[in-house]
Amino acid sequence: MLDASFHQGASLLGLMPESQLRMVSILAQPDAAYGLETLFQVCSALQRMGYPVAVLDGTARETDAAPGLAHLLAAPSWQHGAPLDTGGAAAASLAVLPAAYGLRRLARQSMDAFAAQQTLQPFFRAYSVLAVYAPAETLAPLVRETSAVPLLIAEGGDHAVQSYRQLKHMAMHAGVPCTVASVVPTDRPASFARAHAVLAALQRCAERHLGSELHTTTLRANHPQDLQRLALQLLENAGTIGAAQVPAAPPFIAPQHTPQFARSH
């Protein structure tokens, strides 16, 4: 069989109907003890509900020893539509890729957020959910003027000012509303009252100074029911990346060896 793509399998993939990839966005807080841990727990909850998840960690830098999104974007063979080789990770464990350099490159080079998101679709179409975890400066260009509702995972009342700065950045540079989830340690029940007070203050500041509505929620750290509730809320606020056509490549191009990018968490 003569095919226009770089291998016969890619041609067949182009004929298969594909489901839309859901993209969820999470703001990374500096020095957050519970933020990244809560993200992984929420993504694991989605995975248990039947939604295979890939995580782009915008706080982790790609290296030759730990390849990630930057390597995917730079490898020519991946531009011909070959999906990420999960090695079974999509069904059994959480795939996490370093993405600090790659997300910055997308934010700089893409004409708009939709173009940036569409660039990611061929790599992650084997998954149901793509979770992008990154600082506000990196995340804003990737969700600008979209239907996304990014999630900010705060930690009680200790990060109120920092949380507001990130909300302000998203309002000014992305024009999207956010949801703030305050994580409270289960061994400190008194922290719930303070967390609610801080969330109420953030809501008032967002409405008064940013002109945007702020959705808030409180959850107990490492509490399965709360994590599942947040996972469903995150899924409800997800944007979608439609399937793209597999582009053709010149015939008789030998496929290049690509390292295993996904690591399990």
Side-chain angles (χ1 to χ4, degrees), residues 40 68-69 118 176 181 226 239 245 253:
F40 287 143
L69 180 60
Q118 194 62 58
V176 296
D226 288 1
Q245 293 292 328
I253 295 180

PDB file of all heavy atoms in Angstrom, residues 40 68-69 118 176 181 226 239 245 253:
ATOM      1  N   PHE A  40      -2.343  16.517  41.352  1.00  0.00           N
ATOM      2  CA  PHE A  40      -2.159  15.115  40.997  1.00  0.00           C
ATOM      3  C   PHE A  40      -3.297  14.254  41.552  1.00  0.00           C
ATOM      4  O   PHE A  40      -3.758  13.314  40.892  1.00  0.00           O
ATOM      5  CB  PHE A  40      -0.816  14.611  41.523  1.00  0.00           C
ATOM      6  CG  PHE A  40       0.369  15.144  40.758  1.00  0.00           C
ATOM      7  CD1 PHE A  40       1.551  15.462  41.407  1.00  0.00           C
ATOM      8  CD2 PHE A  40       0.304  15.328  39.389  1.00  0.00           C
ATOM      9  CE1 PHE A  40       2.641  15.945  40.709  1.00  0.00           C
ATOM     10  CE2 PHE A  40       1.396  15.811  38.678  1.00  0.00           C
ATOM     11  CZ  PHE A  40       2.566  16.127  39.342  1.00  0.00           C
ATOM     12  N   GLY A  68      10.356  16.358  27.543  1.00  0.00           N
ATOM     13  CA  GLY A  68       8.975  16.759  27.748  1.00  0.00           C
ATOM     14  C   GLY A  68       8.401  17.475  26.553  1.00  0.00           C
ATOM     15  O   GLY A  68       8.714  17.151  25.404  1.00  0.00           O
ATOM     16  N   LEU A  69       7.565  18.482  26.814  1.00  0.00           N
ATOM     17  CA  LEU A  69       6.832  19.143  25.748  1.00  0.00           C
ATOM     18  C   LEU A  69       7.757  19.813  24.734  1.00  0.00           C
ATOM     19  O   LEU A  69       7.499  19.764  23.522  1.00  0.00           O
ATOM     20  CB  LEU A  69       5.873  20.177  26.344  1.00  0.00           C
ATOM     21  CG  LEU A  69       5.031  20.953  25.337  1.00  0.00           C
ATOM     22  CD1 LEU A  69       4.144  20.022  24.523  1.00  0.00           C
ATOM     23  CD2 LEU A  69       4.193  22.018  26.040  1.00  0.00           C
ATOM     24  N   GLN A 118      -4.499  23.931  19.566  1.00  0.00           N
ATOM     25  CA  GLN A 118      -4.575  22.990  18.457  1.00  0.00           C
ATOM     26  C   GLN A 118      -3.231  22.338  18.178  1.00  0.00           C
ATOM     27  O   GLN A 118      -3.163  21.187  17.741  1.00  0.00           O
ATOM     28  CB  GLN A 118      -5.077  23.706  17.202  1.00  0.00           C
ATOM     29  CG  GLN A 118      -5.507  22.765  16.095  1.00  0.00           C
ATOM     30  CD  GLN A 118      -6.680  21.883  16.512  1.00  0.00           C
ATOM     31  OE1 GLN A 118      -7.726  22.392  16.885  1.00  0.00           O
ATOM     32  NE2 GLN A 118      -6.481  20.585  16.469  1.00  0.00           N
ATOM     33  N   VAL A 176     -10.385  35.956  31.342  1.00  0.00           N
ATOM     34  CA  VAL A 176     -11.203  34.796  31.699  1.00  0.00           C
ATOM     35  C   VAL A 176     -11.458  34.784  33.202  1.00  0.00           C
ATOM     36  O   VAL A 176     -10.612  35.234  33.983  1.00  0.00           O
ATOM     37  CB  VAL A 176     -10.513  33.471  31.286  1.00  0.00           C
ATOM     38  CG1 VAL A 176     -10.360  33.395  29.783  1.00  0.00           C
ATOM     39  CG2 VAL A 176      -9.167  33.320  31.961  1.00  0.00           C
ATOM     40  N   ALA A 181      -9.892  27.328  44.692  1.00  0.00           N
ATOM     41  CA  ALA A 181     -10.139  26.242  45.647  1.00  0.00           C
ATOM     42  C   ALA A 181      -9.161  26.383  46.797  1.00  0.00           C
ATOM     43  O   ALA A 181      -7.948  26.374  46.585  1.00  0.00           O
ATOM     44  CB  ALA A 181      -9.977  24.883  44.976  1.00  0.00           C
ATOM     45  N   ASP A 226     -13.995  15.257  48.660  1.00  0.00           N
ATOM     46  CA  ASP A 226     -13.738  16.634  48.245  1.00  0.00           C
ATOM     47  C   ASP A 226     -12.931  16.684  46.952  1.00  0.00           C
ATOM     48  O   ASP A 226     -13.177  17.524  46.074  1.00  0.00           O
ATOM     49  CB  ASP A 226     -12.987  17.388  49.347  1.00  0.00           C
ATOM     50  CG  ASP A 226     -13.879  17.693  50.542  1.00  0.00           C
ATOM     51  OD1 ASP A 226     -15.069  17.305  50.514  1.00  0.00           O
ATOM     52  OD2 ASP A 226     -13.392  18.318  51.498  1.00  0.00           O
ATOM     53  N   GLY A 239     -12.145  23.374  28.660  1.00  0.00           N
ATOM     54  CA  GLY A 239     -12.349  23.707  27.262  1.00  0.00           C
ATOM     55  C   GLY A 239     -12.147  22.461  26.423  1.00  0.00           C
ATOM     56  O   GLY A 239     -11.740  21.407  26.928  1.00  0.00           O
ATOM     57  N   GLN A 245      -6.897  17.331  11.349  1.00  0.00           N
ATOM     58  CA  GLN A 245      -6.531  16.385  10.299  1.00  0.00           C
ATOM     59  C   GLN A 245      -5.054  16.021  10.419  1.00  0.00           C
ATOM     60  O   GLN A 245      -4.215  16.865  10.718  1.00  0.00           O
ATOM     61  CB  GLN A 245      -6.797  17.001   8.919  1.00  0.00           C
ATOM     62  CG  GLN A 245      -8.272  17.235   8.627  1.00  0.00           C
ATOM     63  CD  GLN A 245      -9.025  15.932   8.466  1.00  0.00           C
ATOM     64  OE1 GLN A 245      -8.455  14.952   7.998  1.00  0.00           O
ATOM     65  NE2 GLN A 245     -10.277  15.916   8.856  1.00  0.00           N
ATOM     66  N   ILE A 253       9.652   8.522   4.051  1.00  0.00           N
ATOM     67  CA  ILE A 253      10.458   9.087   5.131  1.00  0.00           C
ATOM     68  C   ILE A 253      10.508   8.071   6.256  1.00  0.00           C
ATOM     69  O   ILE A 253       9.470   7.663   6.774  1.00  0.00           O
ATOM     70  CB  ILE A 253       9.864  10.410   5.642  1.00  0.00           C
ATOM     71  CG1 ILE A 253       9.940  11.463   4.526  1.00  0.00           C
ATOM     72  CG2 ILE A 253      10.583  10.902   6.882  1.00  0.00           C
ATOM     73  CD1 ILE A 253       9.371  12.808   4.927  1.00  0.00           C
TER      74      ILE A 253
END
